[in-house]
């Protein structure tokens, strides 16, 4: 077998233009295809490599991501506005999307509030099995049908319950992760807004994207309390004491929109605003990696109480991906308000072992 190699610039452009066509020419009867693209991109970042190699994924691994994505979305959306009636958003042009119904039924039957708690139940594998089946029968079957033809440019089936992301695809999904995420999320929000049956629920809502994709305010409050106990009442970035605190995504949410306990730090609202969507500079990164090393279990525990998923290896992998991509792209890192530095090759050394 030939050793894999990263796709050429031309192959990457072809990938992007096919992805673009997929969004324009596909038939989106439900929101599943958006969830599938997000799941494939996330799994590529978390499990894949930058050498162009293929990646085999099981439908259960993808199904797990579907449960995470749809868990929050299966809760009633209530804007609190007088014009709107709280309700579960409809995610399909036909009957409600089966994954939403399955997650809702499971949550009600077992009285669990978070996917992290759901995972611990003996009935969870059955839920996962049925979601994996839906994923297999629907989006995996139809994602690569667009423009009246089938173009397997992303994956092929690789035996029962498995797919294989083709050579070069993982590379592209890792490289263009923020773009894929943004496209999928924007279209997902539009799909829900354009479904007339959602109009009474939505009212004049303007926080739909937050509702669909971010951790709840309540979870973040609990997370903040835990972090205060662990790290003390001080800002992770400037180390000064704080009273008002934001829970900041160390690797910015705009770059990797997934809430994981190990990625959260406490920060002054002003430090948080100033850092905004940039990666934190070397001294912060060193402290953050140190913290993963020494407080991994404590952070897992805090996440558990707050109902936020945690996986220390995955968090490390995501930051490695974020920083090494920024080295390639010539990004800048935030040191302090109005102070930045280039993310140069030195940053790779933090992740080279
Ligand atoms: Zn600060």
């Amino acid at each position: 077998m030939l050793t894999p190699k990263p796709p050429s610039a031309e192959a990457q452009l072809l990938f992007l233009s096919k992805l673009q066509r997929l969004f324009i020419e596909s038939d989106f009867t439900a929101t599943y295809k958006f969830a599938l693209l997000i799941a494939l991109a996330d799994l590529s970042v978390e499990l894949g490599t930058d050498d162009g190699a293929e990646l085999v994924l099981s439908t259960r691994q993808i199904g797990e991501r579907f449960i995470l994505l749809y868990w929050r979305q299966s809760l009633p959306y209530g804007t609190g506005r007088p014009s709107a009636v709280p309700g579960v958003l409809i995610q399909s042009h036909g009957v409600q999307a089966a994954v939403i119904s399955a997650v809702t039924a499971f949550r009600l039957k077992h009285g669990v509030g978070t996917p992290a708690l759901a995972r611990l139940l003996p009935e969870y594998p059955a839920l996962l099995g049925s979601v994996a089946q839906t994923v297999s029968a629907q989006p995996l079957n139809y994602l690569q049908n667009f423009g009246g033809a089938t173009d397997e440019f992303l994956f092929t089936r690789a035996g029962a319950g498995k797919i294989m992301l083709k050579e070069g695809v993982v590379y592209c999904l890792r490289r263009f992760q923020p773009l894929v995420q943004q496209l999928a999320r924007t279209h997902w929000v539009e799909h829900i807004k354009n479904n007339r049956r959602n109009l009474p629920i939505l009212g004049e809502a303007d926080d739909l994207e937050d509702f669909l994709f971010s951790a709840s305010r309540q979870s973040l409050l609990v997370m903040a309390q835990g972090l205060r106990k662990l790290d003390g009442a001080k800002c992770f970035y400037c180390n000064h004491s704080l009273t008002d605190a934001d829970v900041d995504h160390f690797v910015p949410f705009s770059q990797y929109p997934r809430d994981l306990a190990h990625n959260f730090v406490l920060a002054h609202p002003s430090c948080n605003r100033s850092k905004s969507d940039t990666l934190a500079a070397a001294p912060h990164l060193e402290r953050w990696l140190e913290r993963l090393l020494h407080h991994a279990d404590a952070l897992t525990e805090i996440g558990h109480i707050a109902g936020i998923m945690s996986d220390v290896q995955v968090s490390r992998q995501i930051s490695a991906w974020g920083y090494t991509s920024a080295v390639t792209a010539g990004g800048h890192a935030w040191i302090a308000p109005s102070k930045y530095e280039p993310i140069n090759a030195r940053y790779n050394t933090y992740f080279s072992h």
Side-chain angles (χ1 to χ4, degrees), residues 29-39 62-76 88-92 96-104 107 115 131 134-135 138-139 188 191-192 211-213:
T29 48
T31 55
Y32 290 154
K33 288 180 186 170
F34 310 128
L36 179 56
L37 284 166
I38 290 174
I62 301 169
E64 185 113 61
R65 296 312 164 102
F66 270 63
I67 294 176
L68 287 176
L69 281 163
Y70 283 105
W71 187 278
R72 191 166 35 224
Q73 304 194 1
S74 69
L75 293 166
V88 176
L89 294 163
I90 311 284
Q91 304 240 12
S92 165
Q96 176 63 295
V99 174
I100 293 265
S101 306
V103 168
T104 305
R107 210 187 43 238
V131 170
T134 304
V135 169
Q138 298 195 29
W188 194 329
H191 191 280
I192 289 176
F211 170 78
L212 294 177
F213 303 111

Side-chain angles (χ1 to χ4, degrees), residues 235 238 268 271:
C235 174
C238 70
H268 287 117
C271 286

Side-chain angles (χ1 to χ4, degrees), residues 109-344:
K109 184 166 178 204
H110 302 290
V112 281
T114 67
L117 290 174
R119 267 181 175 179
L120 304 174
L121 297 179
E123 293 85 356
Y124 180 78
L127 170 69
L128 180 54
S130 90
V131 170
Q133 232 165 32
T134 304
V135 169
S136 184
Q138 298 195 29
L140 279 177
N141 256 351
Y142 301 121
L143 182 70
Q144 300 178 110
N145 294 352
F146 50 94
T150 302
D151 182 347
E152 295 194 328
F153 76 108
L154 293 168
F155 59 84
T156 52
R157 296 278 181 167
K162 288 196 176 71
I163 63 161
M164 187 184 69
L165 294 178
K166 294 168 96 166
E167 205 177 305
V169 168
V170 170
Y171 178 96
C172 288
L173 287 175
R174 287 167 65 86
R175 173 146 201 204
F176 303 117
Q177 148 86 8
L179 183 72
V180 176
Q181 286 273 357
Q182 198 50 54
L183 275 169
R185 288 168 59 185
T186 308
H187 282 82
W188 194 329
V189 168
E190 285 307 306
H191 191 280
I192 289 176
K193 280 189 178 165
N194 291 337
N195 189 332
R196 298 186 60 83
R197 286 181 296 160
N198 286 327
L199 290 180
I201 304 173
L202 290 171
E204 302 291 305
D206 51 10
D207 62 344
L208 185 57
E209 185 160 356
D210 272 358
F211 170 78
L212 294 177
F213 303 111
S214 318
S216 73
R217 236 168 276 267
Q218 183 54 31
S219 287
L220 291 180
L221 273 175
V222 178
M223 192 78 215
Q225 286 164 0
L227 290 177
R228 231 176 244 263
K229 272 189 211 143
L230 179 70
D231 297 329
K234 52 186 204 265
C235 174
F236 181 81
Y237 297 109
C238 70
N239 205 34
H240 289 119
S241 67
L242 49 71
T243 40
D244 286 345
D246 280 355
V247 185
D248 176 57
H249 291 86
F250 184 75
V251 174
F253 193 76
S254 60
Q255 296 195 23
Y256 203 79
R258 213 189 140 193
D259 292 312
L260 288 167
H262 294 86
N263 194 41
F264 284 121
V265 297
L266 277 191
H268 287 117
S270 55
C271 286
N272 187 20
R273 268 197 307 278
S274 164
K275 174 174 169 276
S276 184
D277 291 339
T278 37
L279 288 164
H284 307 306
L285 175 60
E286 281 171 24
R287 249 179 301 121
W288 185 78
L289 289 169
E290 190 80 359
R291 185 166 173 267
L292 283 198
L293 216 53
H294 295 113
H295 297 297
D297 293 344
L299 287 162
T300 301
E301 181 61 25
I302 294 170
H304 188 71
I305 294 167
I308 288 173
M309 299 296 291
S310 58
D311 186 320
V312 63
Q313 283 316 324
V314 165
S315 294
R316 196 172 187 283
Q317 180 71 11
I318 290 168
S319 69
W321 160 82
Y323 281 94
T324 50
S325 314
V327 172
T328 315
H332 284 73
W334 179 89
I335 303 168
S338 312
K339 272 181 78 181
Y340 297 86
E341 68 173 13
I343 302 182
N344 56 25

